[in-house]
Amino acid sequence: MLYINDFTAGAVSEHWDFGDGTTSDVMGSQKHTYTESGIFAIMLTAKAANGTTSTSTVHDGVIVPLPAVIPPAVSVVGQPVTVVANLTLPVPYTATLTLAPGDVKPLDPTDPSKGAAVYYADGLCVCLENSYEKTTGDIRGHFTVTAGATALYDGTLTLWAHGGTRSFWLAQPQPVANPDLSFMPKLGAGSEKASSVAWYAAGDNGPTGAGNIILAIGTGGEHPHLGPVPEWDAAYLTNPNADNLAVVRGMADSLAVLPFHVRCFATGKMLSVADYPAASMLPVQLGVGKNPIAKFTTNCPIQLDQGQAHATNYSALACALYDTDFDREQLAMWCNWVNSLCENYTYRSKLGCCTFRDAAGRGFGRGLNVLIYAAKYASPEYAPQFQAWVDEAAADGAAAWLAQTGIQIMQQGGPLVSNVNAYANGGYAPWMQDILTNAIGRAIQLGHTAFQPILDYFSVSTFERVEADHEFATLYNSITTMADGTPVATWAEGLQRAATFDPKLAAGLALPEGSLERLTTYGETLGYLAGDFVNFPTSPTGYAAMYQSALAVCVRYATDQPRAQAAWAKFKQYQRIDFSQNGKYNETP
């Protein structure tokens, strides 16, 4: 039972919506018992004496988890599957479906708003979805899923608009023998005991649970789902035990729950912008003009509003470890959303990708990171589209960035990344460039050699930062323009310019580089720990760690190897990041 306080003042009537299909018009604080599992947003509509009404969210998400679904003890892979659905939302409806591997069947062949069942072609798993382009809201009902004579699931579920259930496996998923992990980041020593098991166990791991993903994945700074790989993947890569493997599997399954999936009702396949150029999940464009994606409402509290700038790979490692049709399609769906559907279609490239147009450096970097893995691991049906986007990104990036000179590469002011200079006094955050640089290095690692001149271009400022001043190589907000608006010539000149606005930085720069006094003067007065780069803590998710991930790929792939090796040596001389529990930025050459 949940107790809900009412802080409304002056209302003459109230209407409560508890997010599970039940409501109340009783005024005042409430108590409510949820009889099913899910994530429920509680809304209150209050009416004032003058007749005006206002609706507010009382709770972003009340999480009522179900236990994780356990695969059957005996394999029923490939057997016929029966799905029985008794819906209460959007309208009462009963459907019985029989599926063979490869089937994608709507619950109602005439109405895409009632969702579908998906039986993947390899016969390994089944999902319930609410992901057609014409869906208009959440689906709620009682579902049973049976393979042969074996019950896979029997219970009540809420399927969020453009989401679904985790996979119901027809056998315990097993990793392939000798998986090729050479395309994953090369993480260094120091986190051999890393584990995400306790973190994962604290989340919602039921059939519609998103693991331990925070409710708004795109906001609020650094989180486990960010980085070159997410924290749970990094834990497995450095500490590949059975428990960490189970977390990778569970978090890959949870991607099916997040509300970004769009299927074409006519084909049952992922909606492609090659077929629907005006497709967009941007709220103001839903159902407008030739956009086939209908306007929908949902009580799902998991927000993806900044997913383009803050996304990472949820399924790349699972694709390498398990090689399932489910993982390949989830990665394709995620890439399609991150790099295209989440944005205004008028900003897309000729081929339909938008991540590298009018995006912050972190958006291009994280989007590219997803894209290159999708080009490698997505099914043959989708991989060519993503490969075309990779090639287009390389050509477009070279045309924009290589035309700039000197420190301008740190300004992020070209036509591809035009909205980064939002900081005062012509400042910018170099960690955005670090995320982008790392992704460019990953593209080269996966064989996309057209990115080589771009990496060489970005490596100049990456090396110069640590060469000029190791304590301030990862400064959060540096200055890129002089008083007259012209670009600064070097990183050191940018630091001196920034010091004119920051007395603490000026005091730090006046002391000898590498001195304890310098660390204390600037670092500890800002509340950070001495002993690392002065303005960042020794955290494995701090800006110094992000810089390491960028510097490492430059050292590995940059053409100017003598300069690269010298920069790495200086960085490691002073770097004291503790990666013992989390190695996701611990990239090494």
Side-chain angles (χ1 to χ4, degrees), residues 40-334:
F40 306 102
I42 301 176
M43 310 294 291
L44 171 61
T45 300
K47 184 177 181 180
N50 62 5
T52 60
T53 61
S54 63
T55 300
S56 60
T57 303
V58 180
H59 286 287
D60 285 338
V62 177
I63 299 176
V64 184
L66 270 177
V69 177
I70 301 175
V74 178
S75 172
V76 288
V77 169
Q79 292 192 18
V81 168
T82 301
V83 173
V84 179
N86 291 290
L87 303 185
T88 57
L89 280 178
V91 294
Y93 181 78
T94 299
T96 300
L97 305 178
T98 300
L99 299 95
D103 282 344
V104 179
K105 289 188 177 182
L107 298 180
D108 183 343
T110 68
D111 185 357
S113 71
K114 295 191 180 77
V118 182
Y119 191 1
Y120 284 90
D122 55 13
L124 291 173
C125 66
V126 177
C127 287
L128 306 174
E129 285 191 358
N130 182 18
S131 302
Y132 286 127
E133 82 276 16
K134 297 300 182 184
T135 190
T136 56
D138 301 335
I139 290 174
R140 184 176 297 113
H142 188 277
F143 299 87
T144 62
V145 183
T146 306
T150 301
L152 302 180
Y153 183 74
D154 184 354
T156 301
L157 298 171
T158 297
L159 310 183
W160 307 117
H162 293 288
T165 65
R166 295 190 185 203
S167 45
F168 298 118
W169 294 98
L170 280 73
Q172 182 68 44
Q174 298 295 325
V176 299
N178 302 313
D180 179 11
L181 301 182
S182 63
F183 295 107
M184 293 290 112
K186 299 181 185 301
L187 302 179
S191 53
E192 292 83 357
K193 295 182 179 180
S195 174
S196 291
V197 175
W199 170 88
Y200 177 72
D204 180 3
N205 306 311
T208 55
N212 212 3
I213 292 295
I214 61 173
L215 297 182
I217 73 163
T219 59
E222 178 61 36
H223 293 289
H225 55 269
L226 303 183
V229 293
E231 185 173 316
W232 53 89
D233 285 358
Y236 175 81
L237 290 171
T238 59
N239 183 15
N241 59 32
D243 288 340
N244 279 335
L245 178 65
V247 175
V248 173
R249 179 67 270 159
M251 290 307 300
D253 289 351
S254 75
L255 186 59
V257 177
L258 300 184
F260 63 83
H261 303 73
V262 186
R263 289 188 187 274
C264 173
F265 184 64
T267 65
K269 298 178 180 179
M270 180 185 80
L271 191 76
S272 170
V273 294
D275 300 324
Y276 299 94
S280 174
M281 291 191 76
L282 197 69
V284 297
Q285 291 184 326
L286 292 173
V288 176
K290 295 183 179 180
N291 183 8
I293 305 175
K295 186 175 183 179
F296 61 89
T297 58
T298 179
N299 283 326
C300 180
I302 303 175
Q303 301 299 316
L304 305 179
D305 56 320
Q306 291 189 35
Q308 179 186 1
H310 291 266
T312 190
N313 289 286
Y314 288 85
S315 292
L317 180 58
C319 284
L321 290 173
Y322 290 95
D323 193 28
T324 70
D325 288 345
F326 168 81
D327 291 311
R328 289 177 178 273
E329 187 182 55
Q330 290 302 313
L331 179 58
M333 289 272 195
W334 183 239

Side-chain angles (χ1 to χ4, degrees), residues 444 451-457 459-460 463 553-565:
I444 295 172
F451 285 92
Q452 182 66 53
I454 302 176
L455 182 79
D456 286 338
Y457 191 66
S459 69
V460 173
F463 298 152
V553 297
C554 289
V555 174
R556 193 183 312 151
Y557 297 115
T559 301
D560 189 349
Q561 277 300 298
R563 189 177 185 184
Q565 295 298 327

Side-chain angles (χ1 to χ4, degrees), residues 491-559:
W491 173 261
E493 187 174 85
L495 286 177
Q496 292 296 334
R497 173 69 176 154
T500 64
F501 301 101
D502 187 343
K504 293 177 181 177
L505 175 58
L509 287 172
L511 295 167
E513 183 183 7
S515 66
L516 178 62
E517 293 79 12
R518 191 188 224 203
L519 295 171
T520 304
T521 298
Y522 191 72
E524 291 190 347
T525 55
L526 296 182
Y528 298 120
L529 299 175
D532 199 313
F533 286 27
V534 295
N535 63 321
F536 301 106
T538 54
S539 163
T541 59
Y543 298 114
M546 293 183 188
Y547 176 72
Q548 174 176 326
S549 70
L551 179 60
V553 297
C554 289
V555 174
R556 193 183 312 151
Y557 297 115
T559 301

